[in-house]
Amino acid sequence: MDKNKIFDALRTLAEKAASRVLVPADYTELCQSVNVRKMYYDIDLGYERYTDPRTHKLIIAEKMENNKILLYDEHVETELVMKYTYYYDDLEYVHAYIEFDPGVKKEDLDPDIYQFLADQVYLIVSRQNIRTMLDYAEYYDLQTSVPNISFFRRFYHDITKTVPAANYAVIFANLRNYKYINQTAGVRTGDELMVKFAHTVMDYAKADECVCRMGGDNYVMLIKKENLQDVIQRLDTIKIGGLASAPGKEFTLSPWLGIAPIEDDGITINVRVEQASVACSLGKHQLKRSVVYYDNDLAAMMKRAREITAMFRPAVASHEFTPFFQPKVNMLTGELVGLEALCRWKHDGSYIYPDRFIPVLDRQGLIHDLDMTILDETCAAIRRWLDMGLTPPRVSFNISRKNLFVPDIEHKILDIIQKHGISTDALEIEITETAKEDEIDRLKGFLAILKQNGLQIAIDDFGTGYSSLSLIHSISADVIKIDKSFVSALRLDNKSGILVETIIQIAERLEMDVIAEGVETADEGRALINMGCCNAQGYYYSRPVDFDSVTGIIRKNHFEPIN
Ligand code: C2E
Ligand code: CA
Ligand code: CA
């Protein structure tokens, strides 16, 4: 055996490995010079998943049945197998195997030479694999082995050299319910489902189109405009079954989609993806529409949202936010039974209404600051009425559910109230119902603490959410506010009457008070009284008004009863 020949062969191998992925033929020279017929190892870094997403073929190396990675094989019968062990962190990590020509006996081998050979091959292969893995991770999502956003960008730049960009649209897809499935079916099923979903949508794309995973449950697709409707339709409901971890089960996934058609306007692909993502999140959080296009209206809306976000903090600092107050009235007696504080933004001499800015602030994570400002101003107003010798009715304030995840929010609220030296029973908190599990837990704890401290609790917009009755019961709210959409529907048909009546009965059974919001006419008031709801808030009595006007209303404490 010629040592120099082995060194030369190893050097050639290392050189080749530096420039490209090795194939079995590269080992021929080396193996034949040392009577080796077969080489393999059992390092398992999950390489088997690194498949080409289009052909589903293994990218790295061929894998043998017993989980071994094959380097070289002459397909001849062998007798002698040498096994070399490599350690990592004191654990047996990899075994390299070398099989010899049947003529070779163990006694004939120079152990140092073969150990050296095995070591060198192991080093070359490891370095090569790490590099392949890094290359792979640069362009593929490791969990699903579909392309990632870098691949997507490269694909876009390559394809638009020959195909006009304006032939395409970008789709941003966010999986509805994925978190829920993950929680209920288990993480293993969730993972498997994600892989299968990824490959399913991969198949929707033609060769000149592209799909990538953006992390989490988000996907971005580059689709020809001529195929857009077809792909949107196929994405609408995707049924996935045959999972090893959930036999016999079928899952239905229906993503939220944001679509940004590409125009010849010089906008970069990154911004285009951002536009599609904005459209998607708008459909999910606000419009409740499965498919939203990024168009001029949406662009204008985004611009306004950016302006509002930029203006917000300075506006808080210069006290541009103030509460207006809307009376709550006992319709039978005409007595003022409560007030609701509703924020107004006074900017450049005119008022901006909450619908314009609340959803934006909520999305941007700024709503907490607003809610605390309005609570502070509301407590200050109550303090002033008390100092004027008036007895204002209980005043309610609105709290966005985003506050639930602000650390120690309960005590922030209580501290603000205490600062003004007023009692907690002068106040009521209005919060909307929720069906999200993580929110429900937080909501319960949050309301329990406030209630223990004497605050009254109202469930706002009741009937529009999806919370169960047992939830309403377990959070022991004091008041249910029937959403104004039901009250206005009373004008149109009788069916909503049944719904409203049911809500009132539920409230009665749970020993909670009810109040209807959005009462605009005496007829609506009368209908509500007949169904058993005597308290109302709405334009029929008064719009939300400023401090001075509501002070007059508190003084008078009387409205015309409805009979
Ligand atoms: P909301 O809590 O459901 O408040 C009732 C809304 O209905 C108020 O709109 C009120 O002006 C309006 N309204 C009252 N009576 C009638 C009526 O008879 N007919 C009609 N069509 N509407 C009536 P506003 O003041 O524009 O507030 C809109 C929403 O903004 C509120 O809905 C609430 O969700 C939110 N909001 C207001 N202030 C705050 C706040 O300080 N913090 C938070 N988080 N949200 C607030
Ligand atoms: Ca409210
Ligand atoms: Ca409402």
Side-chain angles (χ1 to χ4, degrees), residues 335-356:
E335 187 195 357
L336 178 69
V337 294
L339 295 170
E340 176 175 4
L342 292 156
C343 71
R344 297 292 180 264
W345 184 348
K346 192 166 186 182
H347 189 73
D348 288 344
S350 60
Y351 285 108
I352 312 177
Y353 286 83
D355 290 347
R356 286 273 308 279

Side-chain angles (χ1 to χ4, degrees), residues 218-269:
N218 297 319
Y219 288 81
V220 179
M221 312 169 78
L222 185 71
I223 299 293
K224 283 265 185 74
K225 283 177 182 167
E226 64 204 42
N227 301 329
L228 190 59
Q229 288 317 316
D230 181 47
V231 171
I232 289 174
Q233 205 167 19
R234 296 176 76 180
L235 284 167
D236 184 58
T237 29
I238 299 174
K239 293 193 187 302
I240 290 176
L243 301 185
S245 62
K249 268 203 187 159
E250 193 180 62
F251 298 89
T252 304
L253 293 169
S254 49
W256 301 99
L257 303 179
I259 320 265
I262 297 178
E263 318 280 348
D264 281 325
D265 48 13
I267 284 178
T268 64
I269 188 65

